[in-house]
């Protein structure tokens, strides 16, 4: 975080001051730097939100991880009225149901130094659950000015301003939904200013019919608006950044979208102004309203605002003290889960397997996604000769993918990274054709796209609204029929939409633009990182994952987060082709990494909605590999059926149903346009285990753990561990905290009721209803089953099997990792032989795996 330069508080400006003409007189350089620093600090606090078509989970507090969790909770409460810890009524239910025990609560009080210093006792924590949650929020300028007697008969000014700013942003950023887009050359602030001066309805909504008269004071540029408002507010410079962050939180959805644009710009080595322009817009609104309210009550309100914000630090300190008990309960909630997790890990992870590599016939590399854990466990139980491996689902390929005959280039890697390589579709039959048919396939697809675009456009014109169904005739009725009676069809591949059927089996994503040396280097890095640079089985499956749903704006959020909200199919297929390439294998052999001639890599996809495994590019396999694949099908059938039965109760299905009947029900759910919960996604996620598979083999982890294989003995320099702690660990942390935030604060950090969603700008996000702020985060239906919360808001517990010195070296080298640990954003454990130690206050401590009774006796929990 940037800090403000030390300077004297500015003198409050006269209550009514005309806007500076042409930017006014030059302001003092120190003052200009202070304004710039405050605005930059406020903007840095906003985390990005990815668009719908590449939705990935993000910690909405990512820009604040440099502060302890409780301090952030206090800031969010005071600056935005936003909850960070679980709601007290949720915690009360957890206590009353026995989910949190007295032993959990006592353990939390022992582990939290601040609770010990404050002398908190169990009775104090229980009393807090029966008391109303304290309110801490500081007001903004528009809140104190909105004080006329009729304010309860109309939209509040805060609501009206949010609506106006949101509608302006929706029009400005739309690229896919409307047939007309505004000119964007002058920027967002200029577009908003022009829009507002021509909007004659917003004044009536706000009870200000003469609002347009005040617009003459509106500065012409973003910079002038920032300076004008901050000087007029008359607040101490020390609170500017906090006030500005509070302003941004009123439009947090759109601020998060602008932060995404800034994130992408930084990955490409450039800057983006949109978040600063949004801040200026929202600031300027307050000053406009100040121009409209030249009366005694407004003067008193303005003076109260200045007085309240002069005590910003006291508000934050009081909120932090009040939230200490909530932090204790957060830790107590985690204690019960962690104790059970430790028991499971210690029960199965003490002895390495006797079976050598020669007994393994198939290796299957799955994404670390929590939905892979039950399937890996089921496959291993169904056939001991299969060995499963956990690795990030993009399989280490830093690629962007462009489907055939489109400009729809998209990243297929974690959002933390920028693509470094390109993948394109090429037509490649198993038996080489006389000529390359890629151009023919592309032309055929473009022609179909042109026809479908004309068809879609015919329904967008207002005059065609009633005639479209009549013109579409029986074809449209068939679409309605699919919704009334969902089919049991397999997952459709959107990347092949519009491609003639004869090309689909042979249209393959392939790396382009890499020479042989680059391919060899890539293959070597990936195999080493995956732990597959030794003891390879005859058949190695690369299993990506993807979901299947209909009429679902948030479908991408159910796909692979490591692939930027896409399925893992492209990455798996590209890597299989790369590792099967004889030239690449020869290059690897020259470097001492020998892939046995009998080893074949096969790309597959795990459909997480229906729990099916699909094979890809099977026509390219040699005969022996195809035979092995065929022999695997009964194993897949048994394992997938087991996972479906485990998942059935949470979906309201009968786990005792016949195999085919249960499978059919899941497929119908996947194709049902009215289904708000096609699957539960990553709900329940709570742990990330970085260790060899034998540490968890046989443990029933209930689909709540990310599993990444790692062998410290093969990572002498710690480079793989460093990669895991700075990439997959951050990604899983993002996932964990998006689920946490959407559960604890569904109104502000979740996207609300899915049934009420309207898509904005084609891919930007959703409104709940037809307005308000852009909604980010997860919908209620992704977290709550209508009766209870399915997801438990627990901070991630990371368990690593590596020497303490190696882990500490990574912590010392990377500030982000250090902040996550020191500030309480996740828990860290490590194996010490057969025991588990936890990282706290910079040192390793023995992990409590038993409950303690009041008299000090050890009791099983």
């Amino acid at each position: 975080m940037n800090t403000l330069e030390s300077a004297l508080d500015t003198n409050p400006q006269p209550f009514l001051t005309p806007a500076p003409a042409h930017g006014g007189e030059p302001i003092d350089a120190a003052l200009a730097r202070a304004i710039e620093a405050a605005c930059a600090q406020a903007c840095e606090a906003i985390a990005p939100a990815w668009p719908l078509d590449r939705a990935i989970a993000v910690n909405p507090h990512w820009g604040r991880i440099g502060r302890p969790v409780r301090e952030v909770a206090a800031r969010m409460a005071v600056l935005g009225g936003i909850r960070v810890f679980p709601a007290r009524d949720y915690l009360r239910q957890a206590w009353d149901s026995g989910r949190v025990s007295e032993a959990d609560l006592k353990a939390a009080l022992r582990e939290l130094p601040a609770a010990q210093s404050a002398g908190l006792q169990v009775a104090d924590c229980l009393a807090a659950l029966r008391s109303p949650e304290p309110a801490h929020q500081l007001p903004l300028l528009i809140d104190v000015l909105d004080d006329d007697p009729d304010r309860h008969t109309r939209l509040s000014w805060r609501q009206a301003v949010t609506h106006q700013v949101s509608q302006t942003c929706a029009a400005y950023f739309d690229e896919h939904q409307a047939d007309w887009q505004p000119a964007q050359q002058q920027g967002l602030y200029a577009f908003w200013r022009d829009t507002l001066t021509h909007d004659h309805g917003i004044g009536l909504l706000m009870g200000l019919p003469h609002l347009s008269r005040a617009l003459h004071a509106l500065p012409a540029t973003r910079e002038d608006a920032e300076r004008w408002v901050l000087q007029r507010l008359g607040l101490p410079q020390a609170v500017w950044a906090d006030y500005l962050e509070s302003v941004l939180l009123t439009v947090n959805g759109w601020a998060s979208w602008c932060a995404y644009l800034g994130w992408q710009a930084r990955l490409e080595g450039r800057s983006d102004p949109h978040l600063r322009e949004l801040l200026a817009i929202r600031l300027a609104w307050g000053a406009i309203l100040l121009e409209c309210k030249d009366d005694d009550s407004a003067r008193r309100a303005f003076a109260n605002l200045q007085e309240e914000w002069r005590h910003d630090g006291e508000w934050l300190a009081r909120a932090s003290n009040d939230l200490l008990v909530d932090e204790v309960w957060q830790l107590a909630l985690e204690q019960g889960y962690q104790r059970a997790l430790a028991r499971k890990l210690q029960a199965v992870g003490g002895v390495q397997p006797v079976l050598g590599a020669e007994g393994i016939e198939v290796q299957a590399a799955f994404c670390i996604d929590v939905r892979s854990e039950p399937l890996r466990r089921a496959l291993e139980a169904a056939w001991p000769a299969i060995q499963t491996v956990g690795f990030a689902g993009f399989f280490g390929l830093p690629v962007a993918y462009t489907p055939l005959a489109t400009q729809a280039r998209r990243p297929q890697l974690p959002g933390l990274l920028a693509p470094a390589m390109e993948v394109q579709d090429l037509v490649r039959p198993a038996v080489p054709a006389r000529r390359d048919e890629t151009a023919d396939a592309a032309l055929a697809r473009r022609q179909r796209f042109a026809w479908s675009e004309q068809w879609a456009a015919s329904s967008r014109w207002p005059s065609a609204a009633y005639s479209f169904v009549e013109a579409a005739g029986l074809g449209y009725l068939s679409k309605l029929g699919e919704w009334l009676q969902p089919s049991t069809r397999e997952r459709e591949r959107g990347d092949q939409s519009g491609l003639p059927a004869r090309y689909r089996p042979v249209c393959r994503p392939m790396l382009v633009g890499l020479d042989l040396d680059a391919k060899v280097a890539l293959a070597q890095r990936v195999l080493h990182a995956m732990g597959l640079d030794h003891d390879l089985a005859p058949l190695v499956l690369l299993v990506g994952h993807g979901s299947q749903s209909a009429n679902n704006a948030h479908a991408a959020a159910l796909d692979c987060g490591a692939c930027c909200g896409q399925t893992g199919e492209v990455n798996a297929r590209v890597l299989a082709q790369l590792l099967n390439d004889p030239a690449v294998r020869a290059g690897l052999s020259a470097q001492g990494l020998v892939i046995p001639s009998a080893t074949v890599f096969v790309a597959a996809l795990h459909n997480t909605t229906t729990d099916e495994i699909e094979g890809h590019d099977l026509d390219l396999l040699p005969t022996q590999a195809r035979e092995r694949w065929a022999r695997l099908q009964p194993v897949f059938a048994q394992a997938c059926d087991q996972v479906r039965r485990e998942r059935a109760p949470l979906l309201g299905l009968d786990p005792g149903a016949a195999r085919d009947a249960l499978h059919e029900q899941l497929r119908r759910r996947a194709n049902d346009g009215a289904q708000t919960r096609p699957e539960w996604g990553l709900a329940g996620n709570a742990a990330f285990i970085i260790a060899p598979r034998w540490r968890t083999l046989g443990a029933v982890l209930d689909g709540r753990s990310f599993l990444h294989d790692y062998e410290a003995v093969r990572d002498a320099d710690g480079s793989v561990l460093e990669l895991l702690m700075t990439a997959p660990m951050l990604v899983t942390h993002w996932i964990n905290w998006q689920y946490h935030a959407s559960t604890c604060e569904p109104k502000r950090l979740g996207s609300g009721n899915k049934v009420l969603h309207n898509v904005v700008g084609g891919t930007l996000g959703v409104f709940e209803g037809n307005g308000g702020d852009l909604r980010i985060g997860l919908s209620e239906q992704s977290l709550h089953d209508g009766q209870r919360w399915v997801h438990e808001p627990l901070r991630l517990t990371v368990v690593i099997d590596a020497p303490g010195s190696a882990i500490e070296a990574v912590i010392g080298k990377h500030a982000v990792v250090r902040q996550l640990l020191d500030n309480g954003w996740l828990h860290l454990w490590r194996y010490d032989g057969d025991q588990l130690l936890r990282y706290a206050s910079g040192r390793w401590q023995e992990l409590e795996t038993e409950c303690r009774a009041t008299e000090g006796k050890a009791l099983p929990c």
Side-chain angles (χ1 to χ4, degrees), residues 764-817:
L764 301 181
V766 296
F767 285 153
E768 187 179 23
N770 67 345
D773 194 13
L774 191 72
R775 301 304 299 265
I776 61 172
L778 301 162
S779 70
E780 294 172 10
Q781 287 85 351
S782 293
L783 305 160
H784 197 281
D785 68 1
Q787 301 295 325
R788 66 180 184 90
W789 292 103
V790 171
H791 180 71
E792 287 188 317
L794 310 178
R795 288 170 293 185
L796 192 68
T797 298
V798 179
V799 187
I800 304 178
D801 187 7
S805 58
I807 298 173
E808 291 161 15
V810 178
I811 296 171
K813 186 176 179 181
H814 295 277
V816 169
V817 176

Side-chain angles (χ1 to χ4, degrees), residues 312-329:
D312 172 47
E314 296 173 24
W315 278 80
L316 291 170
R318 185 164 57 250
S320 182
N321 289 334
D322 290 344
L323 289 167
L324 176 57
V325 68
D326 298 84
E327 186 176 22
V328 171
W329 278 108

Side-chain angles (χ1 to χ4, degrees), residues 496-822:
Q496 292 194 341
S497 176
L499 192 64
R502 68 182 182 276
Y503 294 118
R504 293 184 183 184
V506 294
C507 184
R508 313 181 201 274
M510 303 186 75
L511 274 172
V512 296
L514 286 188
D515 60 24
L516 180 58
D517 288 343
K519 289 181 179 180
V520 171
L522 175 62
Q524 191 277 333
R525 287 197 304 270
V526 171
L527 287 172
H528 178 62
M530 293 178 71
L532 292 178
D533 52 356
H534 60 93
D535 298 330
L536 287 167
L539 194 66
V540 181
L541 307 183
L542 304 172
V543 190
H545 67 91
S547 66
Q548 181 181 351
S549 58
N551 187 35
N552 184 3
H554 288 93
L558 297 175
D559 286 331
C560 184
C563 296
C564 209
Q566 313 302 323
T567 74
E569 176 188 330
V570 167
N571 297 62
R573 294 176 70 183
V574 167
L575 183 58
Q577 293 171 34
L578 181 71
L579 297 178
N580 287 331
D581 186 336
V584 171
R585 290 191 176 199
L588 290 171
S589 180
Q591 296 184 5
L593 197 166
V594 178
I595 298 177
S597 59
T599 295
V600 178
F601 293 84
V602 181
L605 189 92
H606 171 206
N607 183 330
T608 55
T609 308
T610 62
D611 279 306
E612 299 174 76
I613 297 179
E614 311 165 6
H616 292 283
D617 301 316
L618 302 179
D619 58 319
L620 299 180
L621 302 181
T623 302
Q624 196 171 20
R626 261 184 278 182
E627 291 173 352
R628 281 200 176 92
W629 173 264
R631 289 198 298 271
L632 270 176
Q633 299 315 299
V635 178
F636 289 162
Q638 179 181 336
C640 290
D641 180 63
Q642 177 182 321
V643 178
R644 292 182 197 119
R645 295 184 189 285
E646 287 185 20
R647 293 176 54 220
L650 264 181
L651 295 171
L653 303 177
D654 178 12
R659 174 184 291 190
D660 291 344
L662 181 58
H663 187 193
E664 182 177 302
Q665 288 181 72
L666 286 169
R667 279 201 173 178
R668 288 193 187 281
R669 289 176 63 89
N671 293 311
D672 187 352
Q675 178 55 253
T676 57
R677 299 182 184 91
E679 60 162 285
W680 281 108
L682 294 95
N685 74 84
F688 179 27
I689 302 172
I690 303 173
R693 178 55 172 158
W694 61 266
R695 286 290 195 185
T696 55
L697 189 64
V700 179
L701 299 176
D702 304 314
R704 303 188 68 179
S705 297
F706 302 93
L707 300 179
H708 200 302
D709 278 62
Y710 171 70
E711 295 184 67
V713 295
R714 296 186 179 275
D715 183 31
D717 62 356
S719 58
V720 174
L721 178 63
E722 181 178 8
L723 179 65
L724 296 179
M725 292 181 66
T726 56
M729 191 173 85
L730 300 190
V731 171
T732 55
H733 159 78
W734 275 17
I735 294 168
N736 174 259
W737 264 94
Q738 184 179 71
Y739 275 81
H740 187 289
S742 296
T743 302
C744 295
E745 185 53 87
K747 292 183 179 179
R748 299 292 302 282
L749 300 179
S751 61
N753 187 346
K754 209 173 195 179
V755 177
L756 304 178
H757 283 174
N758 282 305
V759 173
V760 181
T763 61
L764 301 181
V766 296
F767 285 153
E768 187 179 23
N770 67 345
D773 194 13
L774 191 72
R775 301 304 299 265
I776 61 172
L778 301 162
S779 70
E780 294 172 10
Q781 287 85 351
S782 293
L783 305 160
H784 197 281
D785 68 1
Q787 301 295 325
R788 66 180 184 90
W789 292 103
V790 171
H791 180 71
E792 287 188 317
L794 310 178
R795 288 170 293 185
L796 192 68
T797 298
V798 179
V799 187
I800 304 178
D801 187 7
S805 58
I807 298 173
E808 291 161 15
V810 178
I811 296 171
K813 186 176 179 181
H814 295 277
V816 169
V817 176
R818 193 162 56 251
Q819 289 172 345
L820 291 175
L821 293 168
D822 292 348

Side-chain angles (χ1 to χ4, degrees), residues 367-374 681-683 685-687 702-706:
C367 181
I368 63 175
D369 189 286
V370 296
R371 292 166 290 183
S372 299
E373 183 269 326
L682 294 95
N685 74 84
D702 304 314
R704 303 188 68 179
S705 297
F706 302 93

